[in-house]
Structure formats: C-alpha cells, structure tokens
Amino acid sequence: MPELHLTEILLSQDQIRKRVSEMAAEIRRDFPDDVHLIAVLKGAFVFLSDLLRHMPGYVSLDFLAASSYAKGTTSSGEVRLLKDLDSSLEGRNVVIVEDIVDTGLTLHYLQDILRARSPKSLRTACLLSKPSRRKIDVSVEYIGFTIEDRFVVGYGLDFDEQYRNLPHIAVLEA
Ligand code: IMP
Ligand code: MG
C-alpha cells in the first residue's frame, strides 16, 4: 500500500464553524422545545461538541458507537454496534449526529434500529456527505457539506485512529 499524505485543506476552521452554527440554528428551528442528539462515536464527537454549543435551550445527549470499517479506508459492508445508548428514545425528538455519510450502510442500519425504539421523530445530521459513493438510499435531513469521493480526515474523522485532532478537514491521499 502506498504511503498516504495530507495533500490539501478541503474545509477550513472558519468554513466549518460557520456551517455548523447554521446547522444548529436549523435544527433548533425545527425542534424549538426539545431535542435529543445521538452522536455516533468516535468520529462525530467534535462535530457534536460544536453543534451543541450553538444550540441554546433544551438539548439532551447520548452516544452510540458503530463500526463499518475494520481498518483503513475500505468498507467491509458490515456494521457492528459497539456501544448502545444509555436511555430510551420513546416519545423524543431524536437527531442522529454523524461525521460523514459515505456508502450509507452505517446510517441505514442505525436509523432502522433507532426507529424501532419509538422516537416521536427521527432525523439525521451529517457534517459531510459523499453522494457519489452511496450504496443505499438513506435520508439525511441536515448536511453540512457535500464533497467529492476523496478520503478526508480531521475534525474528528480519522484514518487508523489518526488525525482526529486536526482543527480543519484535510484530504489524505497517496
Ligand atoms: P458508510 O457506512 O460507508 O456511510 O460509512 C460511514 C463511516 O465511514 C463514517 O462514519 C466514517 O467513520 C467512515 N468514513 C467514510 N468516509 C470517510 C472519510 O473520507 N474519512 C474518514 N472516515 C470515513
Ligand atoms: Mg463514523
């Protein structure tokens, strides 16, 4: 496998900050009274923490962990639930917070299992979307940025657990 390098900053800190605050306002507008955010670990934790701080009023949180990538950049097609939620979703306005929707397999699976827990509503917010990679049709109501088919890291996103700490989003390629 060729060595991978950070080749380009795709989204700057400023671009991300601006868009995340817009997304927070949009979600708040749709759910002014209460919203329950569910972040998909680990990639979404940075996005969640910024989204949350742009959202005044009542917000509650929970976390789950799923894995579709064993290692590296190719999907195994298999999704595993590694950590389940702490609290019930019954009657709540739930928004899944995810870093990126790529093939859509992970979100499709998560939406199915969370819908079965009888939330009042279930929506999804993704910071990034790569529509050209989609293998399954999945609905994502809030999308931060639509990007081309390039592997990106930073702002929570990793390659082999590295680069999550970059404050911007960068392209990783050979
Ligand atoms: P999907 O099931 O193919 O939609 O994959 C979603 C998951 O794959 C995301 O939550 C990420 O963890 C990972 N992923 C997909 N594309 C990228 C990328 O460009 N950089 C880092 N992680 C990615
Ligand atoms: Mg992820």
Side-chain angles (χ1 to χ4, degrees), residues 68-69 75 98-107 130 150-153 157-158:
S68 63
Y69 282 23
S75 176
E98 176 57 310
D99 51 5
I100 186 166
V101 50
D102 187 32
T103 63
L105 292 168
T106 307
L107 270 177
K130 287 190 213 171
R150 302 173 85 184
F151 196 82
V152 291
V153 293
L157 289 125
D158 75 308

Side-chain angles (χ1 to χ4, degrees), residues 142-161:
Y142 311 99
I143 291 177
F145 301 93
T146 296
I147 64 169
E148 287 173 26
D149 180 14
R150 302 173 85 184
F151 196 82
V152 291
V153 293
Y155 196 73
L157 289 125
D158 75 308
F159 171 72
D160 249 355
E161 297 300 326

Side-chain angles (χ1 to χ4, degrees), residues 22-61:
E22 288 170 359
M23 293 175 83
E26 223 180 302
I27 295 169
R28 186 79 284 178
R29 210 178 304 128
D30 294 345
F31 301 104
D33 299 327
D34 65 278
V35 68
H36 187 57
L37 302 180
I38 292 180
V40 184
L41 294 171
K42 301 168 199 167
F45 86 102
V46 178
F47 176 38
L48 172 81
S49 79
D50 283 343
L51 195 65
L52 184 72
R53 284 176 291 173
H54 282 108
M55 215 179 270
Y58 184 89
V59 184
S60 53
L61 291 184

Side-chain angles (χ1 to χ4, degrees), residues 104-113 115 136-139:
L105 292 168
T106 307
L107 270 177
H108 179 78
Y109 170 85
L110 293 178
Q111 288 176 352
D112 267 4
I113 59 165
R115 204 175 288 115
I136 194 161
D137 191 29
V138 66
S139 40

